[in-house]
Amino acid sequence: GQQVMQIPQYQHVQEGEDFTTYCNSSTTLSNIQWYKQRPGGHPVFLIQLVKSGEVKKQKRLTFQFGEAKKNSSLHITATQTTDVGTYFCAGLSIQGAQKLVFGQGTRLTINP
Amino acid sequence: SQTIHQWPATLVQPVGSPLSLECTVEGTSNPNLYWYRQAAGRGLQLLFYSVGIGQISSEVPQNLSASRPQDRQFILSSKKLLLSDCGFYLCAWSVNGLRGTQYFGPGTRLLVL
């Protein structure tokens, strides 16, 4: 079945440094979604990407969808302590069962 | 606006005891409903989903079961808890089929001793 892999599993940065997490799907996706889970909290939807090569920005966060629609990335510029949490991608395959498959997440910790 | 409720927030249960976690959604009709489990520091494992009353799909064979007695109510149950059932249980809802954006509830932390 479809698999969605995220790397790295963990990332620790100094406040002010940039951070990137990568998401790779075993199948071509019709869309990809990103979620953020703060420590002790529940996942919260951030954004959805649909088009090949799409780039979307939310303040310091930049989301990209690969040209082949099999990978995506989330880049945070100049991290702040409020960025701490686990970031999940979730992909919807164009084939097979039409439901979202979540990656295992990247846990971001920040040294102030 | 839509809201999703889960209770209890935290639960400590002995091995072999039964379990019932409840999730309700307000402000939307005929949502798709989901139960996820998240082990400590790990990703989200989809356990069950439901597209309508009485319709349950199981993703992972285990000693848990789910029921949807009403349109906006989703229940996760077990007859006998195992140590491996520990985790953070999240209910979620979506519209536009199973592909839609998922909105998660606050979750229930279950500790089995």
Side-chain angles (χ1 to χ4, degrees), chain A residues 7-81:
Chain A
I7 54 171
Q9 188 174 1
Y10 302 98
Q11 184 76 59
H12 181 76
V13 301
Q14 288 290 128
E15 187 175 16
E17 292 182 339
D18 292 357
F19 159 76
T20 304
T21 173
Y22 300 90
C23 179
N24 296 288
S25 171
S26 58
T27 61
T28 303
L29 302 172
S30 61
N31 71 57
I32 193 156
Q33 300 176 17
W34 285 91
Y35 294 75
K36 176 184 178 181
Q37 183 179 23
R38 293 181 184 273
H42 58 277
V44 175
F45 173 77
L46 293 177
I47 207 161
Q48 175 174 283
L49 305 172
V50 178
K51 300 177 183 177
S52 169
E54 187 171 13
V55 178
K56 287 188 176 180
K57 291 190 176 184
Q58 289 181 349
K59 297 182 180 178
R60 294 177 294 104
L61 277 60
T62 301
F63 303 84
Q64 289 188 304
F65 201 8
E67 294 288 343
K69 300 185 76 173
K70 294 187 71 174
N71 56 72
S72 180
S73 65
L74 159 59
H75 179 81
I76 303 178
T77 304
T79 55
Q80 300 176 359
T81 54

Side-chain angles (χ1 to χ4, degrees), chain A residues 9-10 31 33 35 37 39-45 48 88 92 98-100 102-105 107, chain B residues 34 36 38 41-44 46 49 59 88 90 97-107 109:
Chain A
Q9 188 174 1
Y10 302 98
N31 71 57
Q33 300 176 17
Y35 294 75
Q37 183 179 23
H42 58 277
V44 175
F45 173 77
Q48 175 174 283
F88 293 97
L92 178 68
Q98 291 291 288
K99 55 182 184 291
L100 284 177
F102 279 82
Q104 289 302 102
R107 184 177 176 186
Chain B
Y34 310 81
Y36 288 87
Q38 185 176 34
R42 305 291 296 276
L44 300 169
L46 179 62
Y49 66 91
E59 289 292 297
F88 189 36
L90 290 155
L98 300 176
R99 63 189 67 189
T101 299
Q102 303 206 355
Y103 300 94
F104 289 85
R109 297 196 182 278

